[in-house]
């Protein structure tokens, strides 16, 4: 885990100057992402979703595993904490980048939450006061996303196509950062990942940022809608390929509502 976090943080240092957020941008993105993930409600800031074997915490519902748990999905919250540590953000004494989720089951988690136990309360307070820093982490993760994606592609022409489409979303024609495009790329990467992990695929087909960019119509007049349309196709494919026992069809409507915030 520490090696992965070290690689992440080093990559962030190489690319973060390009995507460093102003305070206004961090506040804006934090609110937008938090509305998507938790409807802006405190009760969802530390949460355990139905049908999942892990907790989802913070404005980005960052995945966090209990000790010894393994899962196909990327565990992101330790990356958030490592980012915070690098910036000397004050955290509860018991919490650091190597801390596993303190609760071993959903039932145990809800007992702690419903009784407002100290560990839960301290975690909630930490997440509540660091919303802008969590948004800054997501921008740093996005800075890491493009080189990570390009590193998985052998064909140079395909690399150039993906980089061009990424930049089409991120920048205006005059070369200035497109804040809406930044929000879309940042939100989707947090929402469904970079698309580079072999484990985050069903039947060999992924649904992350890489796959959306592969299917993105860069000639469309409305690039925001084009991205949302490509994402809907990728998530529809995910649902089709998913194990029936997971019941992922129940998430389609909510996912599409989120994607529609990208262009409506």
């Amino acid at each position: 885990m520490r090696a992965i976090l070290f690689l992440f943080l080093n990559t962030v240092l190489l690319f973060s100057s390009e995507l460093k957020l102003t305070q206004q941008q961090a506040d804006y993105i934090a609110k937008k992402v938090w509305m998507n993930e938790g409807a802006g409600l405190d009760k969802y800031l530390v949460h355990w979703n139905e049908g999942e074997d892990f907790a989802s915490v913070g404005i980005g519902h960052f995945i966090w595993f209990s000790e010894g748990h393994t899962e196909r999905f990327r565990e992101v919250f330790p990356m958030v904490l490592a980012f915070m540590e690098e910036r000397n953000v004050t955290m509860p004494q018991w919490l650091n980048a190597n801390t596993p989720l303190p609760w071993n089951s959903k039932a145990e988690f809800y007992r702690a939450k419903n009784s407002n136990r100290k560990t839960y309360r301290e975690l909630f307070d930490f997440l509540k006061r660091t919303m802008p820093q969590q948004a800054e982490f997501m921008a740093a993760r996005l800075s890491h996303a493009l080189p990570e994606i390009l590193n998985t592609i052998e064909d140079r022409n395909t690399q150039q196509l993906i980089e061009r489409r990424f930049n089409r979303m991120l920048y205006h024609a005059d070369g200035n950062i497109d804040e809406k495009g930044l929000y879309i790329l940042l939100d989707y990467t947090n929402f469904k990942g970079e698309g580079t992990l072999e484990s985050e695929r069903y039947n060999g087909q992924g649904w992350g940022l890489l796959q959306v960019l592969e299917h993105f119509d860069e000639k469309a007049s409305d690039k925001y809608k084009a991205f949302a349309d490509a994402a809907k196709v990728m998530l529809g494919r995910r649902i089709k390929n998913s194990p029936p026992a997971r019941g992922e069809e129940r998430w389609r409507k909510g996912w599409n509502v989120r994607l529609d915030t990208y262009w409506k």
Side-chain angles (χ1 to χ4, degrees):
M1 174 60 73
R2 295 301 302 181
I4 295 172
L5 294 173
F6 182 76
L7 176 61
F8 167 77
L9 290 168
N10 273 323
T11 310
V12 165
L13 291 175
L14 289 173
F15 292 93
S16 61
S17 59
E18 183 179 9
L19 296 179
K20 187 175 181 180
L21 301 180
T22 65
Q23 186 64 48
Q24 183 177 359
Q25 289 170 333
D27 290 340
Y28 167 76
I29 288 174
K31 290 176 182 176
K32 290 280 288 184
V33 172
W34 182 223
M35 284 300 298
N36 286 339
E37 289 288 0
L41 300 176
D42 284 353
K43 67 180 181 179
Y44 295 123
L45 194 58
V46 183
H47 193 57
W48 194 306
N49 290 320
E50 189 69 31
E52 295 181 340
D53 295 323
F54 47 82
S56 299
V57 304
I59 62 171
H61 269 189
F62 308 114
I63 292 175
W64 195 13
F65 299 152
S66 54
E67 188 170 10
H69 181 75
T70 57
E71 180 68 63
R72 70 166 60 237
F73 306 116
R74 175 172 281 167
E75 186 182 25
V76 177
F77 192 54
M79 296 165 60
V80 178
L81 295 175
F83 180 85
M84 299 280 193
E85 287 178 342
E86 286 290 314
R87 284 148 185 80
N88 297 315
V89 176
T90 301
M91 294 188 281
Q93 288 188 339
W94 55 269
L95 186 63
N96 60 60
N98 293 312
T99 306
L101 177 69
W103 307 285
N104 293 314
S105 68
K106 186 175 182 179
E108 186 178 333
F109 164 76
Y110 274 107
R111 283 195 296 271
K113 182 173 184 176
N114 293 336
S115 60
N116 199 30
R117 293 179 185 170
K118 182 179 179 182
T119 300
Y120 170 83
R121 187 174 65 253
E122 289 183 346
L123 176 63
F124 174 88
D125 291 343
F126 165 69
L127 293 169
K128 184 74 172 179
R129 67 176 167 81
T130 59
M131 287 184 173
Q133 290 94 334
Q134 293 169 55
E136 290 168 2
F137 161 79
M138 288 187 283
R141 183 182 180 187
L142 181 61
S143 298
H144 174 57
L146 182 59
E148 178 179 327
I149 287 171
L150 297 180
N151 192 48
T152 67
I153 302 170
E154 295 184 2
D155 180 68
R156 180 57 184 158
N157 290 332
T158 304
Q159 287 180 334
Q160 292 175 341
L161 178 136
I162 294 299
E163 185 172 10
R164 185 175 68 243
R165 292 178 178 180
F166 181 96
N167 289 333
R168 168 95 165 86
M169 290 299 302
L170 183 58
Y171 296 104
H172 291 296
D174 63 5
N176 290 321
I177 290 284
D178 180 340
E179 291 189 3
K180 186 172 183 179
L182 170 61
Y183 155 67
I184 292 169
L185 290 170
L186 181 153
D187 184 74
Y188 194 82
T189 302
N190 176 71
F191 178 38
K192 292 302 174 192
E194 293 85 351
T196 58
L197 292 185
E198 290 295 328
S199 62
E200 290 187 336
R201 298 183 181 184
Y202 294 146
N203 295 334
Q205 295 182 317
W207 52 78
L209 180 61
L210 167 60
Q211 288 76 35
V212 173
L213 292 175
E214 286 175 337
H215 290 80
F216 172 67
D217 181 3
E218 59 185 303
K219 296 180 180 179
S221 58
D222 186 336
K223 65 178 183 179
Y224 311 125
K225 186 176 187 301
F227 187 97
D229 288 344
K232 286 180 182 179
V233 172
M234 292 301 94
L235 293 182
R237 187 177 72 178
R238 165 179 165 158
I239 291 169
K240 182 179 179 181
N241 287 336
S242 65
R246 285 186 56 84
E248 294 200 4
E249 178 62 42
R250 72 185 187 275
W251 294 328
R252 186 191 299 269
K253 181 178 178 180
W255 287 351
N256 287 346
V257 168
R258 182 185 191 135
L259 296 175
D260 282 340
T261 70
Y262 293 176
W263 67 279
K264 288 186 176 179

